[in-house]
Amino acid sequence: MKSLGIYIHVPFCGKKCDYCDFYSVNYSKTAVQDYVDAVLRNIRHYSDTEQNVDTVYFGGGTPSLLSPWQIEMVMDELSGSFSLDEDAEITLEANPSTLNPDKLSGLRNAGINRLSIGVQSMIDSELDFLGRTHSAERAEKTILDACSAGFENISCDLMIALPEQTSYNIAYSVNRLSALPIQHISAYILKTEEGTPFDCDDIKNRLPDDDQTVALYLQTVELLEKNGFMQYEVSNFAKNGFESRHNNRYWKCEDYIGIGPSAHSCYKGKRFAVERDLSGFVSGEFQQTYVTDNAPCGFEETAMLRLRLKEGLLLSETGSHRSEIEKKLPRLERAGYINFDGERVFLTPQGFVMSNSVIEYLIF
Amino acid sequence: MANEKIRNFCIIAHIDHGKSTLADRILEKTETVAVRDMEDQLLDNMDIERERGITIKARAVRLKYTAQDGEDYIFNLIDTPGHVDFNYEVSRSLAACEGAILVVDASQGIEAQTLANTYLAIEHDLEVVPVVNKIDLPSAEPERVCAEVENVIGIPAMDAPRISAKMGTNIEAVLEKIVTDIPAPKGDTEKPLKALIFDSYYDSYKGVIIYVRVKEGTVRVGDSIRLMATGAVFTVVEAGFMDASSLVNNGMLEAGEVGYIAASIKSIGDTQVGDTVTNNDDPCDEPLPGYRKVNPMVFSGIYPADGAKYGDLREALEKLQLNDASLSFEPETSVALGFGFRCGFLGLLHMEIIQERLEREYNLDLITTAPSVIYRVTLTSGEVQYIDNPTNYPDPALIQLAEEPMVKADILSPSEFVGNIMELCQDRRGIFKDMQYLDDTRVSLHYELPLNEIVYDFFDVLKSRTKGYASFDYEMLGYSPSKLVKLDILLNGDVVDALSFIIHTDKAYGRARKIAEKLKENIPRQLFEVPIQAAIGGKIIARETVKAMRKDVLAKCYGGDITRKKKLLEKQKEGKKRMRQLGTVEVPQEAFMSVLKLDS
């Protein structure tokens, strides 16, 4: 039986964050129900009981705007249409402002067993800058409530390189978060995405420069590892055994189906995607997709994704590219970008923060 | 045709003093072209000529003029290139004339170039007819300018026609002056043929068209002619003259006339300007004096920015050479730039024109190396080498004597800038010769300067230090011993051959530092740090480092959208293709250019 991941894009937000360029529209109760119906139709459309679904990921948007029973309907539909693994990792992205103890136990009962909470920072002034509606205190309480509701796999997002962010700020957020009952942290360097309100000189001029950003990133890596969150990808850190299984699918070129506007899939030898259009998604019987790659998971792509992971690239898996790659290793190693144990090449934190250039130099 | 009714003349003027406009007015007044067919500045055919307001290649036109004495005259107007790079071509054009109209701007007065060309005309025994142009300008001072012409050049000028070529004012006075002041040509139509080549160009249907001034004898269609310097023999297919827009085959040309000959000549190399045409069956005793082969003075490597365009570049150079025998090129290879050509030019302007034409007319994106002159190196073995490419500069241990070409420079400027000019010339290793006051406010300065100090940006700097007022002219003086070294630039420890150049010892350190700084500014931070070094022999004399890039990461690889990330990396790779990969260093084209554009 083949293993499969399901990604469900929930394109609703109570308030859109100024730095975010993921697809979402304003939340409304009726629109959400129409949307859930469309998700259910699409799950049936892709139905294949020969596929063992062992990861499900509700991403967004703000998936925690769905009610526990809406989640339950989706989960029921999934277990009817596929072979849903007993041990499946089922993640929901959540905004602290949308959670309370009742909602959390409802979500837990609906089958969610992993939460990814958009904490972003444990400093209120930074949260203000990001336009988040929660405070550090609220985030802390949400995590403790989630723990009480029975969540044993909690991830939190953290944002690096905010305006005027000092190493003290980073240390404070990292240490305060690490002390909470969580198992996973995603630490992202803020990027001003084209077309977002942050894509303007007023904001950009306030951001730390490259050297400062790198220093903050390296400090974050060091501190998180010290606190037991080991780096396993450019931006991802986990306590032992709590690496995100769903996200690992992306990095290891494994199959996943994306449902919902703007969702991407890699399934049966093709990459394809859905338009960023909620009404199209809701009105159609099935989601319309366009192919983005007819022959994915070739050498370049596999190597590129593998090198984002701490486990890196096995030279034995590089085939005819091996000698070409081997020639380039000593220089990268001298510059401190990679480690090489004779068989496995993997990036150092310094390498991760330069990963585009390092990977491009090594494999393209 | 009776010779006494012919007038052969040219126009001497500084850039922008109105030569082409006057030529247009003369064409108009003599009804060579109907006014409605006039395109501004008809004689300048090439785009670049029009834009720069200069004449690159000589042209000649035949005009008919009915003078006030009631007689019909034939005017042959020979247009000459104005720039010092084409000095020899100018002298050959002058040799085809009996007179020259000297156009002087009524507000600017005489400029260095005008002066040089006027002296050249006087040397060739031409009757110089001064004309004061642009009298319509509010700042015009025709009386002062006439006095200046008399003082400086020493020819009578108080009765010079005051005209405005632009407004068409008083052009008839110029035409009458041509009739009355310029002598008719001499020459015997019965003598053996003796004709001077003063220009040529390639026509894709007729082959090379040569412009000639017949000094003695007659040439007819069907005659067998010999070009005396090259020895090439051809049969005349057409002989005639040019009206403003086309060739008119007249069947023959006689002593005193100016015209063209077409003889199915395939290569412009056979038709050297200054050569003498004679009849192969009835040759003259000796050629006309003054012929010399024109040699390039300035050399530069020209490379296609895109290596795949090498073939296109060669084809373009071949086509340009069809019309420009003074352009030389041969293939050269650079580790840094790949396959290209070592090109030789008459001077800087010539170089710029060729580069611009390659880019504009042939749509090529070029990288050019720093211009170099020809150094003369005597080895300890006694062997003498001429070095036009720094890459070939011999090991200093083997050099007994190194010499560099010198020029005699003539600078005209308002006297208030003398200090600035002297400072500049001093800085360029100039040797002061003398200084003369032309009048109360203008001076003429004479310097001996190394050619390699002026090939690059001398004129631009001179202009900027004199608020644009100074004019400059030079002629070659020969070689003089010099303390020269070859300066190499190393990136990440490897010599970049395309950036090497030869320089005087005293200037090496300053230049090395400047280049290193410029490169540092222009080489983007990349994956690895890039040490930049400048070295003489094995000795490093300047050093900079481009630090490694610090951050280049896509933090989020989200929602499984892998395609976007992959495309980004592919785009990044594509972007780097536009850079030159030098060993392990990526150098953008602008970095090469920046080194060449060093200000002094």
Side-chain angles (χ1 to χ4, degrees):
Chain A
M1 190 172 280
K2 285 181 176 164
S3 110
L4 178 67
I6 302 284
Y7 174 80
I8 294 170
H9 189 79
V10 185
F12 301 100
C13 282
K15 172 182 181 292
K16 178 112 188 156
C17 298
D18 285 350
Y19 56 85
C20 175
D21 79 333
F22 294 117
Y23 179 66
S24 75
V25 299
N26 280 334
Y27 170 81
S28 90
K29 220 165 190 174
T30 51
V32 170
Q33 191 49 54
D34 289 346
Y35 159 80
V36 171
D37 290 343
V39 169
L40 299 179
R41 286 201 299 279
N42 275 288
I43 292 173
R44 284 194 290 276
H45 171 63
Y46 289 109
S47 130
D48 181 352
T49 49
E50 288 300 297
Q51 298 276 352
N52 181 44
V53 171
D54 57 10
T55 68
V56 178
Y57 196 104
F58 291 87
T62 311
S64 53
L65 287 171
L66 298 188
S67 65
W69 67 265
Q70 283 169 327
I71 299 281
E72 204 173 324
M73 284 202 296
V74 172
M75 292 311 300
D76 284 350
E77 195 63 58
L78 280 172
S79 54
S81 300
F82 298 92
S83 156
L84 184 62
D85 200 284
E86 266 180 29
D87 206 23
E89 175 196 270
I90 299 162
T91 307
L92 179 93
E93 288 185 338
N95 182 332
S97 304
T98 61
L99 299 176
N100 58 38
D102 283 354
K103 175 95 175 255
L104 282 162
S105 31
L107 290 169
R108 184 72 192 88
N109 291 334
I112 303 294
N113 56 24
R114 183 174 184 269
L115 284 178
S116 171
I117 304 177
V119 175
Q120 314 305 356
S121 168
M122 292 302 276
I123 295 172
D124 286 346
S125 60
E126 291 183 355
L127 290 168
D128 277 350
F129 167 77
L130 290 170
R132 302 296 293 192
T133 51
H134 63 272
S135 63
E137 199 183 342
R138 174 69 192 264
E140 201 166 57
K141 183 174 181 307
T142 302
I143 292 164
L144 294 171
D145 289 347
C147 187
S148 308
F151 283 99
E152 292 168 349
N153 189 351
I154 299 174
S155 173
C156 291
D157 287 348
L158 192 65
M159 206 77 99
I160 306 173
L162 302 176
E164 297 100 37
Q165 195 173 41
T166 61
S167 69
Y168 173 80
N169 292 16
I170 283 287
Y172 180 82
S173 285
V174 166
N175 286 334
R176 196 165 158 194
L177 258 189
S178 305
L180 295 168
I182 63 171
Q183 293 71 35
H184 186 282
I185 290 177
S186 298
Y188 299 112
I189 295 170
L190 174 67
K191 180 167 179 276
T192 51
E193 301 284 354
E194 215 175 301
T196 64
F198 268 28
D199 184 22
C200 66
D201 288 346
D202 277 356
I203 297 290
K204 287 181 178 170
N205 292 338
R206 289 176 59 197
L207 297 178
D209 68 19
D210 280 2
D211 286 346
Q212 292 165 331
T213 301
V214 168
L216 291 171
Y217 173 83
L218 294 178
Q219 185 203 355
T220 307
V221 173
E222 196 186 322
L223 211 49
L224 281 171
E225 295 216 326
K226 197 176 131 208
N227 292 342
F229 295 86
M230 307 312 286
Q231 183 168 34
Y232 70 98
E233 196 259 358
V234 176
S235 308
N236 285 285
F237 304 80
K239 290 190 172 159
N240 195 19
F242 286 92
E243 294 82 8
S244 164
R245 279 156 55 194
H246 183 81
N247 284 335
N248 261 315
R249 291 191 164 276
Y250 302 150
W251 301 318
K252 293 185 174 171
C253 276
E254 291 166 2
D255 274 4
Y256 51 94
I257 292 174
I259 293 172
S262 85
H264 285 253
S265 303
C266 180
Y267 186 51
K268 294 190 171 165
K270 277 191 173 59
R271 289 192 187 281
F272 52 92
V274 184
E275 294 291 351
R276 292 164 72 104
D277 173 18
L278 177 63
S279 61
F281 174 74
V282 168
S283 62
E285 195 183 354
F286 312 121
Q287 62 184 13
Q288 296 301 305
T289 61
Y290 58 94
V291 173
T292 57
D293 193 346
N294 259 317
C297 304
F299 163 74
E300 287 177 1
E301 196 174 289
T302 311
M304 163 189 101
L305 292 167
R306 286 281 171 162
L307 286 167
R308 286 184 69 87
L309 290 171
K310 189 79 181 184
E311 66 179 74
L313 184 64
L314 281 171
L315 281 193
S316 57
E317 288 172 357
T318 57
S320 59
H321 303 276
R322 182 173 181 140
S323 62
E324 199 54 38
I325 288 177
E326 261 175 324
K327 266 189 262 168
K328 296 175 181 168
L329 295 179
R331 193 150 182 241
L332 285 170
E333 202 169 22
R334 274 200 305 278
Y337 291 133
I338 60 158
N339 282 318
F340 177 52
D341 65 8
E343 183 47 37
R344 206 164 54 92
V345 184
F346 57 102
L347 271 59
T348 61
Q350 285 86 351
F352 279 135
V353 84
M354 279 290 291
S355 53
N356 287 351
S357 292
V358 173
I359 292 170
E360 184 258 317
Y361 174 72
L362 203 54
I363 63 175
F364 275 87
Chain B
M1 161 95 38
N3 273 359
E4 59 269 23
K5 294 289 186 284
I6 297 178
R7 299 291 182 270
N8 299 318
F9 65 97
C10 59
I11 305 176
I12 295 172
H14 187 67
I15 295 172
D16 285 342
H17 282 200
K19 177 169 74 169
S20 297
T21 319
L22 176 59
D24 287 349
R25 288 298 159 267
I26 293 176
L27 260 59
E28 205 180 295
K29 287 285 173 198
T30 54
E31 286 164 26
T32 307
V33 271
V35 176
R36 64 172 186 281
D37 293 337
M38 282 280 302
E39 206 182 323
D40 273 350
Q41 308 193 350
L42 240 163
L43 281 176
D44 293 344
N45 277 344
M46 285 188 270
D47 283 351
I48 297 172
E49 289 186 19
R50 279 193 200 174
E51 273 170 37
R52 294 185 173 226
I54 49 171
T55 308
I56 300 162
K57 297 290 288 179
R59 296 289 139 88
V61 230
R62 174 183 287 210
L63 322 166
K64 249 192 216 131
Y65 175 63
T66 308
Q68 282 166 8
D69 62 10
E71 301 280 339
D72 284 347
Y73 289 86
I74 293 291
F75 286 1
N76 288 305
L77 166 56
I78 295 160
D79 200 19
T80 58
H83 195 272
V84 55
D85 284 0
F86 308 101
N87 208 34
Y88 179 67
E89 293 188 1
V90 177
S91 84
R92 293 307 85 199
S93 296
L94 294 177
C97 306
E98 278 76 37
I101 301 175
L102 167 63
V103 183
V104 186
D105 184 308
S107 64
Q108 305 283 321
I110 298 169
E111 306 280 359
Q113 236 171 63
T114 337
L115 199 58
N117 285 340
T118 308
Y119 285 143
L120 209 54
I122 292 169
E123 245 171 65
H124 282 85
D125 279 334
L126 265 55
E127 184 65 34
V128 176
V129 178
V131 168
V132 180
N133 191 21
K134 302 198 187 180
I135 54 159
D136 54 310
L137 292 181
S139 57
E141 293 179 86
E143 302 312 312
R144 183 184 70 77
V145 168
C146 285
E148 188 178 86
V149 170
E150 293 203 339
N151 290 340
V152 175
I153 302 174
I155 54 171
M158 292 326 285
D159 67 338
R162 274 78 160 155
I163 68 163
S164 165
K166 195 170 127 209
M167 317 293 284
T169 313
N170 215 12
I171 305 301
E172 290 82 358
V174 181
L175 298 173
E176 284 302 313
K177 277 279 186 188
I178 294 168
V179 171
T180 54
D181 288 18
I182 295 176
K186 298 189 181 75
D188 185 343
T189 56
E190 299 304 318
K191 280 191 173 173
L193 176 65
K194 203 185 239 189
L196 169 73
I197 301 179
F198 64 88
D199 194 10
S200 63
Y201 73 96
Y202 187 83
D203 178 285
S204 39
Y205 298 105
K206 295 177 179 172
V208 178
I209 305 285
I210 52 177
Y211 286 109
V212 294
R213 158 68 193 272
V214 184
K215 295 282 190 181
E216 303 283 357
T218 305
V219 58
R220 291 182 180 80
V221 169
D223 283 358
S224 173
I225 52 167
R226 172 149 44 107
L227 311 185
M228 294 179 79
T230 59
V233 174
F234 302 95
T235 303
V236 176
V237 179
E238 287 184 25
F241 54 84
M242 298 65 73
D243 67 19
S245 52
S246 58
L247 301 175
V248 180
N249 183 5
N250 189 43
M252 60 177 289
L253 283 170
E254 291 183 339
E257 286 189 298
V258 170
Y260 78 94
I261 296 172
S264 303
I265 304 169
K266 299 280 182 299
S267 162
I268 202 148
D270 287 331
T271 59
Q272 307 271 358
V273 167
D275 196 358
T276 303
V277 183
T278 191
N279 191 305
N280 194 39
D281 303 319
D282 178 19
C284 58
D285 299 339
E286 53 178 24
L288 294 158
Y291 169 78
R292 66 179 161 91
K293 196 169 159 29
V294 182
N295 290 315
M297 309 300 290
V298 177
F299 291 80
S300 162
I302 296 187
Y303 293 81
D306 172 2
K309 293 276 172 74
Y310 174 77
D312 296 1
L313 175 58
R314 188 185 51 219
E315 224 167 84
L317 283 167
E318 278 166 359
K319 278 187 188 154
L320 287 179
Q321 202 181 38
L322 280 178
N323 265 327
D324 185 353
S326 54
L327 167 67
S328 71
F329 62 92
E330 55 184 56
E332 107 177 335
T333 320
S334 151
V335 180
L337 302 177
F339 293 99
F341 296 94
R342 192 85 196 153
C343 301
F345 310 96
L346 296 177
L348 268 195
L349 179 81
H350 188 214
M351 179 173 88
E352 275 174 39
I353 287 167
I354 295 292
Q355 285 170 6
E356 208 167 314
R357 292 188 66 184
L358 287 171
E359 293 189 330
R360 198 184 297 195
E361 292 169 32
Y362 296 92
N363 232 336
L364 292 163
D365 205 359
L366 303 176
I367 299 179
T368 50
T369 64
S372 169
V373 302
I374 308 179
Y375 297 95
R376 184 162 69 188
V377 176
T378 309
L379 302 181
T380 46
S381 66
E383 187 196 339
V384 175
Q385 290 187 351
Y386 288 87
I387 308 291
D388 65 31
N389 186 342
T391 307
N392 302 330
Y393 201 71
D395 181 341
L398 302 176
I399 297 175
Q400 185 194 331
L401 175 68
E403 293 170 290
E404 64 180 329
M406 303 291 290
V407 300
K408 179 168 162 279
D410 191 359
I411 301 165
L412 259 62
S413 165
S415 47
E416 57 187 295
F417 302 115
V418 164
N420 292 354
I421 295 170
M422 286 185 152
E423 203 182 333
L424 170 64
C425 290
Q426 192 83 20
D427 180 53
R428 299 302 177 97
R429 299 189 284 128
I431 301 159
F432 176 77
K433 285 298 171 189
D434 61 48
M435 179 168 87
Q436 288 160 350
Y437 272 84
L438 302 180
D439 57 29
D440 294 347
T441 58
R442 286 159 57 82
V443 293
S444 158
L445 285 143
H446 294 106
Y447 269 91
E448 278 179 28
L449 281 158
L451 181 62
N452 86 352
E453 294 284 347
I454 61 168
V455 283
Y456 181 54
D457 60 353
F458 182 81
F459 192 52
D460 291 341
V461 178
L462 178 69
K463 280 277 176 197
S464 73
R465 292 202 186 176
T466 59
K467 297 187 177 157
Y469 281 112
S471 60
F472 162 67
D473 198 9
Y474 66 87
E475 59 184 275
M476 301 307 297
L477 262 184
Y479 281 90
S480 156
S482 182
K483 288 186 290 175
L484 300 171
V485 289
K486 180 186 165 203
L487 186 65
D488 290 318
I489 304 296
L490 294 81
L491 293 181
N492 204 24
D494 301 324
V495 173
V496 180
D497 56 0
L499 293 179
S500 297
F501 55 94
I502 296 164
I503 189 165
H504 191 266
T505 316
D506 295 350
K507 307 208 117 188
Y509 282 84
R511 177 57 73 96
R513 265 195 304 278
K514 217 166 231 175
I515 288 185
E517 281 164 21
K518 258 299 201 261
L519 282 172
K520 184 186 175 178
E521 274 169 40
N522 284 280
I523 296 176
R525 288 171 77 167
Q526 39 201 278
L527 185 56
F528 302 106
E529 69 167 32
V530 181
I532 300 166
Q533 295 162 310
I536 296 174
K539 193 176 158 216
I540 306 294
I541 60 167
R543 176 194 305 267
E544 292 282 350
T545 304
V546 180
K547 283 199 262 167
M549 192 198 284
R550 287 308 308 274
K551 175 176 153 267
D552 182 18
V553 60
L554 259 193
K556 220 159 186 178
C557 192
Y558 185 87
D561 184 2
I562 306 300
T563 325
R564 188 166 147 216
K565 178 167 168 53
K566 191 176 162 193
K567 283 205 176 114
L568 197 108
L569 281 189
E570 277 164 359
K571 216 169 121 192
Q572 197 161 337
K573 183 75 181 176
E574 199 56 36
K576 285 185 180 165
K577 272 192 194 156
R578 278 182 280 119
M579 307 239 236
R580 290 279 158 171
Q581 184 79 36
L582 301 185
T584 48
V585 182
E586 273 143 2
V587 179
Q589 214 167 305
E590 303 83 67
F592 281 100
M593 296 322 217
S594 75
V595 174
L596 304 183
K597 294 211 162 76
L598 276 190
D599 300 319
S600 64

